[in-house]
Amino acid sequence: MTLLLKYLSLCFFINNPAELVPTKSFMWKVVWFYLISGFIVEGLISDPADGTLEVLMRAIMAFSSIALFLVMTKKWHYFNQLFTAIFVGENVIMTLAIAAEALDFVMVMNHYEYREEISIALGVLLVGWYISIVGYIFRQFFWYKIPVSLLIAFSYFVLTYGMPMLFMDI
């Protein structure tokens, strides 16, 4: 539980992820939560079969891009720590996305006039927070300046979310 709280504090830009060493059990739980929460969100947005495929492609892209980045920077030894830190952040954002989807459903059922604006604002807030979390993690691990960390985080976001979404549209 203490390890989880330390990882969750990364979402509020506290702690250094390079100092956190996850256990194998914790890493697998983080991955399973990532997959299940992704299946839920994508199942609410689109066809469950398409959503499942997209989440699996996102997971492959996430692991691949983290691995490729670490191989290129010759810091492979950070793989477990880096993917766990990023996935915990993604899990927090995905949990909030599930809540946002539930809120959207309630607003639709109640014919709330500004439902679309609120949903878009929540989506932008969550994506911005997600990129900030990942940027913070890269900054803490590799001592990059803030603009470089945010650029890498944005690139990671495009690779892990944009590429599978683009593939699904083909």
Side-chain angles (χ1 to χ4, degrees):
M1 186 65 156
T2 306
L3 186 60
L4 176 62
L5 292 175
K6 288 180 181 180
Y7 271 101
L8 288 175
S9 67
L10 294 175
C11 296
F12 302 100
F13 315 109
I14 303 169
N15 284 336
N16 184 345
E19 296 172 359
L20 301 176
V21 180
T23 63
K24 294 284 184 198
S25 170
F26 184 77
M27 288 186 301
W28 279 108
K29 288 174 185 170
V30 167
V31 170
W32 279 112
F33 190 90
Y34 173 85
L35 293 171
I36 292 169
S37 62
F39 295 150
I40 291 170
V41 168
E42 290 300 326
L44 291 171
I45 295 172
S46 66
D47 177 67
D50 287 344
T52 300
L53 181 59
E54 188 171 334
V55 171
L56 292 174
M57 288 189 323
R58 268 200 328 245
I60 291 167
M61 287 301 295
F63 282 118
S64 300
S65 50
I66 291 170
L68 181 64
F69 178 79
L70 291 174
V71 166
M72 288 174 31
T73 58
K74 297 180 175 117
K75 300 200 182 211
W76 177 253
H77 57 281
Y78 284 131
F79 182 77
N80 290 344
Q81 292 169 284
L82 185 60
F83 99 75
T84 303
I86 290 173
F87 274 37
V88 168
E90 288 193 53
N91 288 343
V92 168
I93 298 300
M94 202 58 72
T95 302
L96 294 173
I98 292 170
E101 287 290 328
L103 176 64
D104 185 62
F105 178 76
V106 169
M107 289 189 296
V108 165
M109 298 310 290
N110 291 325
H111 306 289
Y112 190 74
E113 183 178 354
Y114 298 106
R115 174 200 68 84
E116 193 170 314
E117 290 84 356
I118 291 172
S119 295
I120 290 170
L122 284 173
V124 168
L125 176 73
L126 290 176
V127 169
W129 190 13
Y130 169 73
I131 290 171
S132 299
I133 291 168
V134 175
Y136 173 78
I137 291 167
F138 277 109
R139 186 168 192 269
Q140 292 296 314
F141 265 105
F142 305 106
W143 296 96
Y144 295 138
K145 294 184 188 242
I146 292 173
V148 173
S149 297
L150 291 175
L151 180 64
I152 293 169
F154 182 75
S155 300
Y156 175 79
F157 174 76
V158 169
L159 284 172
T160 57
Y161 284 87
M163 296 301 286
M165 191 182 305
L166 181 65
F167 180 78
M168 293 303 294
D169 286 343
I170 293 176

